Amino acid sequence: MKTLSKIIGLFILCVALYSCGGDGAGIDSTKPRARGSIGEIILVIDSAKYAGPVGDELKGILEADLPGMLRSEAIFKVHQVDPRAMTRMLKMSTNLIYVTTFDDKSSASQVINQQFSKESKEKALNDPNIYSLRVEDEYAIGQEVLYLFGNNDEQLIKNLKANADKLQNLFEVRERGRLEKVLLARKNSEANAEAEKNLGIQINVPASYQVAKSEPGFLWVRQPTPNGNRADISLFFYETDYVSEEQTFPENILKLRDSITHDHIYGDPEDPNSFVVTEKQIVPAFRNMEINGNFTTEIRASWKTNNISMGGSYLGYLMVDAKKGKLYYLEGFVYYPNEVHRDALREIQTILLNTDVSWTPDQGA
């Protein structure tokens, strides 16, 4: 295996999280498969540095709280490991991040620093914007290894602050991709047929989900077998005419969302007072983006039934297809009392982002 010092000489210009990995050609088939749960990151860093300002910045990026939650939940599951304690098994982890500064003389940081060549350190010294290196499949196939470095703490922290969103997005996109391969290996064709018929869109939901309700303009599908190790997840899709930009304002998104759940989603179908509403005491978080050319607003918030018998978290997307003159609201909500919702919300996001609201019947299946 090439040492990192040799790799650095070739890839030192691959900064700002540009991937230096290829298309899979030439993969060493003798390497083991990477292992690790979805959303898990092994952070290799000196314990003293992790307890200081650099660690605080990393925690703010990798362990930031998910917005709109009833209780604090970090975006990723991060396990800090001392560089001297890295075993062969840990090196096979799916997501590895090594963090160091070249002025750190501690024995732990020196374990990482020794992997950098003198030439690479000099390049980093002359260009303070060089702070990262990605290497795919370094120790195992299907692995992402990220090196974060700087000449000193101040320089590294400056680059971490400037690239926080990129760092988060790197692993968010990667983990969704990993999850998608598992979740959507088998899809529910019946649910997609209902979506095409009643909403004029295409959806991709796992085969394990079942249609709970379908009518013109509305579709509700559920994961029907929740248990102690599996959250109760529901997804619903709604379509209406797009008539004004005001429909995309946060307050109007909430009104639309709660009007949909008032009419269609109940904690107890026998109790009309158990309709679902947004929990206003937890401030919803909104984020605008563009998906497949369509203006989209993401909303993360919490919900409860009107009679306060149930509650949980939800993730929704308001999408505007200006060409079709349609507005779509897609949501997944979680009921999983006293348990972590992070993994269920990542599952919801993976499914909803595989929705094609721009689909038209002439495109076919």
Side-chain angles (χ1 to χ4, degrees):
M1 181 184 299
K2 292 182 179 179
T3 62
L4 180 60
S5 60
K6 293 180 181 177
I7 295 174
I8 288 285
L10 295 173
F11 296 111
I12 191 65
L13 296 180
C14 295
V15 295
L17 302 186
Y18 180 80
S19 174
C20 300
D23 59 3
I27 288 179
D28 185 353
S29 61
T30 64
K31 291 180 181 179
R33 298 292 305 181
R35 59 187 65 187
S37 60
I38 300 294
E40 182 179 48
I41 296 175
I42 302 299
L43 183 64
V44 188
I45 182 174
D46 173 75
S47 297
K49 190 176 290 293
Y50 187 61
V54 170
D56 290 342
E57 196 64 38
L58 288 166
K59 291 168 190 172
I61 296 171
L62 302 174
E63 299 180 68
D65 286 341
L66 286 167
M69 302 291 286
L70 287 167
R71 58 168 180 262
S72 176
E73 289 189 28
I75 185 172
F76 298 112
K77 294 174 283 187
V78 178
H79 305 284
Q80 185 263 328
V81 178
D82 188 293
R84 297 165 295 186
M86 284 298 288
T87 63
R88 181 176 178 275
M89 191 69 70
L90 285 172
K91 286 183 177 181
M92 292 192 300
S93 300
T94 301
N95 297 312
L96 275 175
I97 302 179
Y98 287 87
V99 184
T100 190
T101 55
F102 299 138
D103 68 340
D104 192 336
K105 304 304 180 185
S106 70
S107 59
S109 288
Q110 284 301 308
V111 170
I112 303 175
N113 291 349
Q114 288 170 5
Q115 299 182 71
F116 289 80
S117 67
K118 180 180 178 181
E119 179 187 13
S120 63
K121 292 179 182 178
E122 289 177 350
K123 288 184 178 180
L125 179 63
N126 294 326
D127 187 351
N129 294 317
I130 295 177
Y131 76 100
S132 67
L133 171 71
R134 286 177 63 187
V135 183
E136 295 181 357
D137 306 330
E138 184 171 5
Y139 304 108
I141 296 173
Q143 181 181 62
E144 178 80 31
V145 180
L146 177 64
Y147 293 87
L148 299 174
F149 50 86
N151 293 301
N152 51 55
D153 283 7
E154 181 180 6
Q155 185 185 99
L156 178 56
I157 290 171
K158 181 180 178 181
N159 279 320
L160 291 176
K161 286 181 180 294
N163 295 280
D165 290 343
K166 291 181 180 178
L167 286 164
Q168 272 192 2
N169 192 59
L170 168 66
F171 287 99
E172 284 185 343
V173 172
R174 173 176 166 77
E175 295 307 273
R176 283 203 305 271
R178 289 178 61 206
L179 184 57
E180 181 180 332
K181 291 178 181 179
V182 178
L183 270 181
L184 302 182
R186 293 178 59 247
K187 303 173 186 176
N188 187 323
S189 57
E190 178 195 355
N192 183 57
E194 291 295 317
E196 290 182 356
K197 180 180 70 174
N198 285 327
L199 295 102
I201 64 175
Q202 283 196 331
I203 66 173
N204 290 283
V205 300
S208 59
Y209 283 67
Q210 295 181 1
V211 175
K213 184 178 182 180
S214 181
E215 62 184 54
F218 179 79
L219 174 65
W220 176 15
V221 298
R222 294 189 61 188
Q223 167 60 255
T225 56
N227 54 51
N229 298 315
R230 175 70 177 165
D232 186 340
I233 299 175
S234 282
L235 309 172
F236 66 85
F237 305 80
Y238 175 84
E239 171 265 328
T240 189
D241 292 334
Y242 177 61
V243 296
S244 168
E245 184 183 354
E246 292 184 358
Q247 291 172 282
T248 67
F249 294 175
E251 62 271 22
N252 291 329
I253 296 175
L254 287 177
K255 288 178 182 178
L256 173 66
R257 187 267 173 189
D258 284 352
S259 70
I260 298 168
T261 56
H262 179 277
D263 293 341
H264 298 286
I265 310 291
Y266 296 86
D268 178 2
E270 303 299 320
D271 182 1
N273 198 42
S274 67
F275 58 87
V276 168
V277 297
T278 296
E279 173 55 81
K280 299 300 194 301
Q281 292 186 14
I282 308 298
V283 179
F286 297 87
R287 183 172 61 150
N288 293 334
M289 61 191 74
E290 186 175 288
I291 297 178
N292 297 326
N294 297 316
F295 175 81
T296 302
T297 298
E298 178 188 87
I299 174 173
R300 290 179 178 269
S302 297
W303 64 272
K304 64 181 180 181
T305 53
N306 189 57
N307 59 2
I308 319 180
S309 60
M310 301 172 66
S313 53
Y314 73 84
L315 169 64
Y317 291 95
L318 183 90
M319 296 184 177
V320 175
D321 188 317
K323 290 183 179 180
K324 293 167 67 174
K326 293 293 183 180
L327 181 144
Y328 301 93
Y329 183 76
L330 335 170
E331 181 182 303
F333 61 93
V334 183
Y335 180 63
Y336 204 21
N338 304 315
E339 300 293 340
V340 173
H341 287 198
R342 172 184 53 216
D343 295 338
L345 289 170
R346 183 172 281 117
E347 176 172 330
I348 288 168
Q349 185 179 44
T350 300
I351 296 170
L352 295 185
L353 290 181
N354 270 279
T355 300
D356 183 3
V357 299
S358 297
W359 175 84
T360 55
D362 57 284
Q363 291 178 248

